[in-house]
Amino acid sequence: KQWYQRRVAITAGGSGAYWPILANTPHGKIPGKGKQGNGWYSFDGKEHNTTSFEFVRCHPGNKVCVQKSRSPPAGAITGYQNNSGTMYAVLCHHTSHGKIPGKSNGTFGWYSWGGKEHKTQDFSYICVTARGGHGGHHVPGFTPGHHVPGFNPHVPHYPPQPQYPPQPQYPPQPQYPPQYPPQYPPQPAQYPGGAGFAPGGAPPQGLAEGMTVRFRCKTGKHLRVKACGEVDGHGGNGTWATFKVHVLGPGRYGFQNQIGSWLAVKNGRLTHSHVYNDPDATFLLHLNPDQSVSLESQSYSGLYVGIKRKGGSSKLARAGKPSTKLYINVA
């Protein structure tokens, strides 16, 4: 393993060093390999070339490492493939061509070589961890490096991330008494704000693993996370505004859109993340009396995702502010 501008480089056979990348493709943001001005990724049995990609690198105080694990560990770098969901950045071992960066769905790994896609079960996850720590203990600080062909970008110095105290355990959502005789009113088609839970959608006590949802804002449009990391309330029904639900613990959720970006809060502002189980991309779900929901940041206790009336994102808002109310549509 070598280091160059805080990127991890892996030697592959006689072809020199390759860096793990996230490739921007028509099929999603797919993990692959890259060097200089070129990147490669595997898809549909073939090797594809691209010049639009981001290197995997991390902030000072953290490091990129490889970890052998039976399941995706905390801190694993994630991408997204439109036809199959989350893809993890991995290092494929013991290939006939060397150790090669590739992708995995958590069961199998794939890498590109010689114009083809190759499958393997011998791989390790590429993770962001605290320097001096061990794989699986994640410290926020990974940001994909934006790549400009032929140019090695300067890595700016970021101050160390503050350590936040453990978050309190929230009690389960209250169970409301049944009607007498036991009969529940029909689920209304719409809630205030022009949206709500679709028929057969989110249960009152929370969201289910793998559910696909959109969050309607006060604008009448949906919350979206753009490829550049900007968050606003001008989304439609596309890939930026459609999220897969990940249950990360009791009452704790992550939301990954269809280009692989996780809704996140960093330095007090809404942005994106590409790290699985990133504390900055973990939210506590609160149900409001009007059937809207509010998303409380795990990293900033007592502060919530807020979208302004005109659709712009803001710094986190306090509980009860109108900007914190979101209405869930099950996609």
Side-chain angles (χ1 to χ4, degrees):
K1 184 170 67 175
Q2 306 170 23
W3 288 87
Y4 178 70
Q5 287 204 353
R6 305 191 68 80
R7 304 178 212 144
V8 60
I10 294 112
T11 300
S15 299
Y18 285 86
W19 285 264
I21 65 168
L22 293 177
N24 301 310
T25 83
H27 318 292
K29 190 179 288 289
I30 300 178
K33 65 183 182 182
K35 65 177 180 179
Q36 299 176 347
N38 287 290
W40 295 266
Y41 65 96
S42 65
F43 182 80
D44 197 24
K46 299 178 181 179
E47 179 180 57
H48 300 265
N49 177 248
T50 182
T51 58
S52 177
F53 61 87
E54 300 163 336
F55 288 109
V56 171
R57 61 188 185 190
C58 62
H59 296 171
N62 302 321
K63 65 179 180 180
V64 176
C65 66
V66 293
Q67 180 181 346
K68 194 80 170 178
S69 176
R70 292 185 177 180
S71 60
I77 306 302
T78 62
Y80 195 90
Q81 192 165 291
N82 296 339
N83 65 348
S84 56
T86 301
M87 283 288 177
Y88 302 92
V90 299
L91 175 61
C92 298
H93 296 290
H94 303 120
T95 79
S96 56
H97 315 292
K99 296 181 178 181
I100 302 178
K103 66 183 182 182
S104 171
N105 62 0
T107 303
F108 297 101
W110 294 269
Y111 64 94
S112 65
W113 188 268
K116 297 181 180 180
E117 179 178 61
H118 301 267
K119 186 177 181 179
T120 180
Q121 287 186 287
D122 188 5
F123 61 85
S124 295
Y125 292 93
I126 299 174
C127 305
V128 174
T129 64
R131 185 166 293 281
H134 301 286
H137 176 66
H138 168 68
V139 174
F142 166 73
T143 303
H146 294 283
H147 171 71
V148 178
F151 172 68
N152 291 325
H154 170 69
V155 180
H157 177 74
Y158 293 90
Q161 298 292 320
Q163 299 297 312
Y164 297 98
Q167 299 301 311
Q169 295 298 313
Y170 290 86
Q173 297 294 327
Q175 298 298 312
Y176 295 96
Q179 304 291 323
Y180 294 98
Q183 183 177 3
Y184 294 93
Q187 185 78 306
Q190 292 212 326
Y191 290 106
F197 294 121
Q205 68 271 22
L207 298 172
E209 175 69 31
M211 184 178 288
T212 303
V213 299
R214 301 186 184 99
F215 297 99
R216 190 172 294 274
C217 312
K218 301 293 285 186
T219 60
K221 296 185 177 181
H222 293 122
L223 180 148
R224 66 180 178 181
V225 181
K226 299 166 70 173
C228 63
E230 180 182 338
V231 179
D232 63 30
H234 296 298
N237 296 325
T239 56
W240 292 352
T242 304
F243 295 86
K244 180 180 179 181
V245 176
H246 295 264
V247 179
L248 304 177
R252 298 169 55 245
Y253 299 90
F255 304 101
Q256 185 185 29
N257 70 12
Q258 291 183 339
I259 64 168
S261 297
W262 299 71
L263 177 65
V265 179
K266 294 185 182 293
N267 299 320
R269 300 195 69 86
L270 294 172
T271 183
H272 65 170
S273 173
H274 285 278
V275 175
Y276 173 71
N277 209 0
D278 184 347
D280 288 344
T282 302
F283 297 89
L284 303 171
L285 181 71
H286 296 268
L287 298 176
N288 301 316
D290 63 355
Q291 302 299 323
S292 66
V293 299
S294 296
L295 301 179
E296 181 183 5
S297 168
Q298 176 177 282
S299 297
Y300 294 83
S301 179
L303 296 178
Y304 295 74
V305 172
I307 300 295
K308 297 178 181 178
R309 183 174 295 275
K310 293 184 178 180
S313 64
S314 65
K315 291 184 178 179
L316 296 176
R318 294 286 179 183
K321 295 285 187 181
S323 62
T324 67
K325 292 186 177 182
L326 303 171
Y327 296 89
I328 295 177
N329 283 118
V330 179

